[in-house]
Amino acid sequence: MHDRKAAWCLLTEFTQSESLRKHALAVEACMRAYGRRFSGDEEVWGIVGLLHDFDYDKYPSPDDHPYKGNQILRDRGYSDEIRKAIMSHADYTGVTRDTPMEKALFACDELAGFITACALIKPGKSLAEVEVKSVRKRMKDKAFARKVNRDDITHGALSLGIDLDEHIAFCIEALKPIAVELGLEGVAAAPAV
């Protein structure tokens, strides 16, 4: 089952939170871009990104997420490849990250959320305003987006074998084409009175 439309329906069935849906879209965009870069099946990589947290809205506890989602995916016919990648994105599951797709999901998950947070504090609330140096600067500010695990971002890039700055730049560029869907296309400045 590698159908994006079915994956979107599954996401929206379980995820009511608009911010979590946007996060899923952001991770999907990063995963599709890395799928192209690593000559993977872009559709499969995208579905993994889209569905990695689909169960989190209903089952946020580490005792349930991503385990409940894994069972739902199994019941709905999703492949072992997709299910293992999703299971591997949470360190506490003990599922190892062995493939480039699994490593990319881990590398993109926290970073996609962090880039979004960085865009939202820009004057125009736009991805176009986000630069690598501003993301790196915000990573040092522990009070900013405090729930984002900076070590996961750093270790994710390292696991992929990609320089952290290059990884950040790559993900920023991957998100720009879906800026409107993410609500990060920017706002026009109010006219002077």
Side-chain angles (χ1 to χ4, degrees), residues 47-73:
I47 287 169
V48 164
L50 190 65
L51 292 179
H52 79 285
D53 278 344
F54 87 94
D55 63 336
Y56 188 80
D57 214 11
K58 286 193 177 196
Y59 307 109
S61 128
D63 291 335
D64 293 331
H65 167 73
Y67 305 104
K68 296 269 190 190
N70 185 48
Q71 185 59 51
I72 294 163
L73 291 173

mmCIF file of all heavy atoms in Angstrom, residues 47-73:
data_model
loop_
_atom_site.group_PDB
_atom_site.id
_atom_site.type_symbol
_atom_site.label_atom_id
_atom_site.label_comp_id
_atom_site.label_asym_id
_atom_site.label_seq_id
_atom_site.Cartn_x
_atom_site.Cartn_y
_atom_site.Cartn_z
ATOM 1 N N ILE A 47 5.289 8.836 2.116
ATOM 2 C CA ILE A 47 4.259 8.227 2.970
ATOM 3 C C ILE A 47 4.795 7.997 4.381
ATOM 4 O O ILE A 47 4.099 8.248 5.371
ATOM 5 C CB ILE A 47 3.719 6.929 2.334
ATOM 6 C CG1 ILE A 47 2.823 7.281 1.135
ATOM 7 C CG2 ILE A 47 2.952 6.084 3.343
ATOM 8 C CD1 ILE A 47 2.428 6.100 0.265
ATOM 9 N N VAL A 48 6.037 7.570 4.485
ATOM 10 C CA VAL A 48 6.663 7.379 5.801
ATOM 11 C C VAL A 48 6.669 8.709 6.561
ATOM 12 O O VAL A 48 6.312 8.763 7.739
ATOM 13 C CB VAL A 48 8.085 6.788 5.661
ATOM 14 C CG1 VAL A 48 8.883 6.942 6.941
ATOM 15 C CG2 VAL A 48 8.002 5.324 5.250
ATOM 16 N N GLY A 49 7.061 9.778 5.885
ATOM 17 C CA GLY A 49 7.063 11.099 6.525
ATOM 18 C C GLY A 49 5.664 11.547 6.906
ATOM 19 O O GLY A 49 5.449 12.072 8.006
ATOM 20 N N LEU A 50 4.711 11.332 6.028
ATOM 21 C CA LEU A 50 3.335 11.756 6.275
ATOM 22 C C LEU A 50 2.710 11.013 7.448
ATOM 23 O O LEU A 50 1.984 11.604 8.248
ATOM 24 C CB LEU A 50 2.497 11.534 5.010
ATOM 25 C CG LEU A 50 1.097 12.121 4.993
ATOM 26 C CD1 LEU A 50 1.133 13.648 5.046
ATOM 27 C CD2 LEU A 50 0.351 11.666 3.735
ATOM 28 N N LEU A 51 3.021 9.733 7.573
ATOM 29 C CA LEU A 51 2.341 8.899 8.577
ATOM 30 C C LEU A 51 3.135 8.670 9.864
ATOM 31 O O LEU A 51 2.634 8.012 10.775
ATOM 32 C CB LEU A 51 1.991 7.534 7.970
ATOM 33 C CG LEU A 51 0.930 7.552 6.878
ATOM 34 C CD1 LEU A 51 0.695 6.147 6.350
ATOM 35 C CD2 LEU A 51 -0.371 8.167 7.376
ATOM 36 N N HIS A 52 4.325 9.223 9.984
ATOM 37 C CA HIS A 52 5.182 8.858 11.121
ATOM 38 C C HIS A 52 4.552 9.170 12.477
ATOM 39 O O HIS A 52 4.806 8.480 13.448
ATOM 40 C CB HIS A 52 6.566 9.510 10.997
ATOM 41 C CG HIS A 52 6.615 10.937 11.385
ATOM 42 N ND1 HIS A 52 6.121 11.949 10.585
ATOM 43 C CD2 HIS A 52 7.096 11.535 12.500
ATOM 44 C CE1 HIS A 52 6.297 13.105 11.191
ATOM 45 N NE2 HIS A 52 6.898 12.882 12.357
ATOM 46 N N ASP A 53 3.711 10.192 12.556
ATOM 47 C CA ASP A 53 3.054 10.568 13.816
ATOM 48 C C ASP A 53 1.526 10.501 13.727
ATOM 49 O O ASP A 53 0.837 11.095 14.541
ATOM 50 C CB ASP A 53 3.442 12.003 14.207
ATOM 51 C CG ASP A 53 4.783 12.103 14.912
ATOM 52 O OD1 ASP A 53 5.297 11.076 15.387
ATOM 53 O OD2 ASP A 53 5.322 13.226 14.986
ATOM 54 N N PHE A 54 0.985 9.764 12.747
ATOM 55 C CA PHE A 54 -0.465 9.808 12.531
ATOM 56 C C PHE A 54 -1.264 9.378 13.760
ATOM 57 O O PHE A 54 -2.398 9.804 13.966
ATOM 58 C CB PHE A 54 -0.871 8.981 11.303
ATOM 59 C CG PHE A 54 -1.127 7.526 11.589
ATOM 60 C CD1 PHE A 54 -2.417 7.072 11.855
ATOM 61 C CD2 PHE A 54 -0.088 6.608 11.614
ATOM 62 C CE1 PHE A 54 -2.656 5.732 12.127
ATOM 63 C CE2 PHE A 54 -0.316 5.270 11.878
ATOM 64 C CZ PHE A 54 -1.601 4.830 12.134
ATOM 65 N N ASP A 55 -0.682 8.545 14.616
ATOM 66 C CA ASP A 55 -1.393 8.051 15.796
ATOM 67 C C ASP A 55 -1.171 8.930 17.032
ATOM 68 O O ASP A 55 -1.797 8.712 18.066
ATOM 69 C CB ASP A 55 -0.974 6.611 16.105
ATOM 70 C CG ASP A 55 0.504 6.472 16.457
ATOM 71 O OD1 ASP A 55 1.318 7.326 16.049
ATOM 72 O OD2 ASP A 55 0.851 5.495 17.144
ATOM 73 N N TYR A 56 -0.300 9.922 16.935
ATOM 74 C CA TYR A 56 0.117 10.695 18.108
ATOM 75 C C TYR A 56 -1.029 11.506 18.729
ATOM 76 O O TYR A 56 -1.101 11.640 19.949
ATOM 77 C CB TYR A 56 1.275 11.629 17.737
ATOM 78 C CG TYR A 56 1.873 12.312 18.935
ATOM 79 C CD1 TYR A 56 2.774 11.643 19.755
ATOM 80 C CD2 TYR A 56 1.518 13.616 19.279
ATOM 81 C CE1 TYR A 56 3.311 12.249 20.872
ATOM 82 C CE2 TYR A 56 2.055 14.228 20.386
ATOM 83 C CZ TYR A 56 2.953 13.545 21.183
ATOM 84 O OH TYR A 56 3.478 14.144 22.298
ATOM 85 N N ASP A 57 -1.919 12.036 17.910
ATOM 86 C CA ASP A 57 -3.042 12.831 18.418
ATOM 87 C C ASP A 57 -3.920 12.004 19.361
ATOM 88 O O ASP A 57 -4.333 12.480 20.414
ATOM 89 C CB ASP A 57 -3.866 13.353 17.239
ATOM 90 C CG ASP A 57 -4.467 14.724 17.472
ATOM 91 O OD1 ASP A 57 -4.111 15.394 18.456
ATOM 92 O OD2 ASP A 57 -5.298 15.133 16.636
ATOM 93 N N LYS A 58 -4.168 10.754 18.987
ATOM 94 C CA LYS A 58 -5.026 9.882 19.801
ATOM 95 C C LYS A 58 -4.244 9.114 20.856
ATOM 96 O O LYS A 58 -4.790 8.760 21.897
ATOM 97 C CB LYS A 58 -5.767 8.875 18.902
ATOM 98 C CG LYS A 58 -6.879 9.505 18.113
ATOM 99 C CD LYS A 58 -7.786 8.461 17.503
ATOM 100 C CE LYS A 58 -8.917 9.183 16.788
ATOM 101 N NZ LYS A 58 -10.027 8.337 16.482
ATOM 102 N N TYR A 59 -2.989 8.832 20.569
ATOM 103 C CA TYR A 59 -2.180 7.994 21.458
ATOM 104 C C TYR A 59 -0.816 8.648 21.729
ATOM 105 O O TYR A 59 0.215 8.153 21.277
ATOM 106 C CB TYR A 59 -1.961 6.609 20.830
ATOM 107 C CG TYR A 59 -3.231 5.916 20.418
ATOM 108 C CD1 TYR A 59 -3.565 5.762 19.078
ATOM 109 C CD2 TYR A 59 -4.108 5.407 21.375
ATOM 110 C CE1 TYR A 59 -4.730 5.120 18.695
ATOM 111 C CE2 TYR A 59 -5.275 4.755 21.004
ATOM 112 C CZ TYR A 59 -5.579 4.619 19.655
ATOM 113 O OH TYR A 59 -6.732 3.984 19.280
ATOM 114 N N PRO A 60 -0.790 9.752 22.484
ATOM 115 C CA PRO A 60 0.470 10.493 22.659
ATOM 116 C C PRO A 60 1.469 9.875 23.637
ATOM 117 O O PRO A 60 2.639 10.256 23.636
ATOM 118 C CB PRO A 60 -0.001 11.852 23.159
ATOM 119 C CG PRO A 60 -1.294 11.579 23.850
ATOM 120 C CD PRO A 60 -1.931 10.446 23.083
ATOM 121 N N SER A 61 1.061 8.930 24.428
ATOM 122 C CA SER A 61 1.966 8.373 25.440
ATOM 123 C C SER A 61 3.017 7.481 24.784
ATOM 124 O O SER A 61 2.723 6.760 23.823
ATOM 125 C CB SER A 61 1.146 7.599 26.471
ATOM 126 O OG SER A 61 1.625 6.313 26.658
ATOM 127 N N PRO A 62 4.252 7.491 25.316
ATOM 128 C CA PRO A 62 5.299 6.604 24.785
ATOM 129 C C PRO A 62 4.932 5.119 24.902
ATOM 130 O O PRO A 62 5.502 4.290 24.200
ATOM 131 C CB PRO A 62 6.521 6.933 25.648
ATOM 132 C CG PRO A 62 6.275 8.297 26.182
ATOM 133 C CD PRO A 62 4.782 8.408 26.341
ATOM 134 N N ASP A 63 3.983 4.798 25.755
ATOM 135 C CA ASP A 63 3.522 3.413 25.836
ATOM 136 C C ASP A 63 2.675 3.033 24.622
ATOM 137 O O ASP A 63 2.529 1.846 24.309
ATOM 138 C CB ASP A 63 2.682 3.186 27.103
ATOM 139 C CG ASP A 63 3.519 3.266 28.369
ATOM 140 O OD1 ASP A 63 4.738 3.018 28.292
ATOM 141 O OD2 ASP A 63 2.956 3.593 29.429
ATOM 142 N N ASP A 64 2.106 4.049 23.949
ATOM 143 C CA ASP A 64 1.192 3.807 22.826
ATOM 144 C C ASP A 64 1.759 4.211 21.463
ATOM 145 O O ASP A 64 1.509 3.542 20.461
ATOM 146 C CB ASP A 64 -0.119 4.562 23.044
ATOM 147 C CG ASP A 64 -0.914 4.018 24.209
ATOM 148 O OD1 ASP A 64 -0.804 2.808 24.497
ATOM 149 O OD2 ASP A 64 -1.638 4.802 24.852
ATOM 150 N N HIS A 65 2.456 5.353 21.404
ATOM 151 C CA HIS A 65 2.976 5.881 20.130
ATOM 152 C C HIS A 65 4.427 5.488 19.962
ATOM 153 O O HIS A 65 5.210 5.719 20.881
ATOM 154 C CB HIS A 65 2.856 7.413 20.101
ATOM 155 C CG HIS A 65 3.634 8.034 18.974
ATOM 156 N ND1 HIS A 65 3.222 7.955 17.669
ATOM 157 C CD2 HIS A 65 4.807 8.720 18.961
ATOM 158 C CE1 HIS A 65 4.111 8.589 16.905
ATOM 159 N NE2 HIS A 65 5.080 9.056 17.670
ATOM 160 N N PRO A 66 4.826 4.901 18.872
ATOM 161 C CA PRO A 66 4.105 4.593 17.636
ATOM 162 C C PRO A 66 3.548 3.167 17.560
ATOM 163 O O PRO A 66 3.172 2.700 16.494
ATOM 164 C CB PRO A 66 5.174 4.802 16.564
ATOM 165 C CG PRO A 66 6.443 4.369 17.231
ATOM 166 C CD PRO A 66 6.280 4.767 18.685
ATOM 167 N N TYR A 67 3.479 2.498 18.711
ATOM 168 C CA TYR A 67 3.041 1.101 18.718
ATOM 169 C C TYR A 67 1.615 0.914 18.203
ATOM 170 O O TYR A 67 1.345 0.008 17.409
ATOM 171 C CB TYR A 67 3.154 0.508 20.133
ATOM 172 C CG TYR A 67 4.539 0.633 20.715
ATOM 173 C CD1 TYR A 67 4.825 1.597 21.681
ATOM 174 C CD2 TYR A 67 5.573 -0.200 20.283
ATOM 175 C CE1 TYR A 67 6.096 1.718 22.216
ATOM 176 C CE2 TYR A 67 6.846 -0.082 20.816
ATOM 177 C CZ TYR A 67 7.105 0.885 21.779
ATOM 178 O OH TYR A 67 8.365 1.008 22.292
ATOM 179 N N LYS A 68 0.685 1.756 18.673
ATOM 180 C CA LYS A 68 -0.711 1.645 18.213
ATOM 181 C C LYS A 68 -0.783 1.899 16.703
ATOM 182 O O LYS A 68 -1.493 1.202 15.983
ATOM 183 C CB LYS A 68 -1.617 2.645 18.946
ATOM 184 C CG LYS A 68 -1.722 2.409 20.427
ATOM 185 C CD LYS A 68 -2.858 1.503 20.758
ATOM 186 C CE LYS A 68 -3.074 1.511 22.272
ATOM 187 N NZ LYS A 68 -3.984 0.499 22.706
ATOM 188 N N GLY A 69 -0.043 2.914 16.270
ATOM 189 C CA GLY A 69 -0.013 3.219 14.840
ATOM 190 C C GLY A 69 0.538 2.066 14.024
ATOM 191 O O GLY A 69 0.029 1.756 12.939
ATOM 192 N N ASN A 70 1.563 1.416 14.535
ATOM 193 C CA ASN A 70 2.155 0.273 13.841
ATOM 194 C C ASN A 70 1.117 -0.829 13.639
ATOM 195 O O ASN A 70 1.027 -1.417 12.559
ATOM 196 C CB ASN A 70 3.363 -0.240 14.624
ATOM 197 C CG ASN A 70 4.095 -1.338 13.890
ATOM 198 O OD1 ASN A 70 4.399 -1.217 12.711
ATOM 199 N ND2 ASN A 70 4.369 -2.423 14.591
ATOM 200 N N GLN A 71 0.328 -1.075 14.671
ATOM 201 C CA GLN A 71 -0.713 -2.108 14.559
ATOM 202 C C GLN A 71 -1.779 -1.701 13.543
ATOM 203 O O GLN A 71 -2.237 -2.518 12.739
ATOM 204 C CB GLN A 71 -1.366 -2.378 15.919
ATOM 205 C CG GLN A 71 -2.368 -3.516 15.895
ATOM 206 C CD GLN A 71 -1.757 -4.833 15.448
ATOM 207 O OE1 GLN A 71 -0.737 -5.270 15.965
ATOM 208 N NE2 GLN A 71 -2.382 -5.473 14.459
ATOM 209 N N ILE A 72 -2.173 -0.441 13.573
ATOM 210 C CA ILE A 72 -3.171 0.058 12.611
ATOM 211 C C ILE A 72 -2.628 -0.069 11.191
ATOM 212 O O ILE A 72 -3.337 -0.513 10.280
ATOM 213 C CB ILE A 72 -3.564 1.516 12.947
ATOM 214 C CG1 ILE A 72 -4.306 1.561 14.286
ATOM 215 C CG2 ILE A 72 -4.396 2.137 11.823
ATOM 216 C CD1 ILE A 72 -4.386 2.946 14.913
ATOM 217 N N LEU A 73 -1.368 0.306 10.995
ATOM 218 C CA LEU A 73 -0.756 0.200 9.663
ATOM 219 C C LEU A 73 -0.692 -1.260 9.206
ATOM 220 O O LEU A 73 -0.966 -1.563 8.043
ATOM 221 C CB LEU A 73 0.642 0.821 9.667
ATOM 222 C CG LEU A 73 0.696 2.338 9.835
ATOM 223 C CD1 LEU A 73 2.130 2.804 9.999
ATOM 224 C CD2 LEU A 73 0.020 3.054 8.674
#
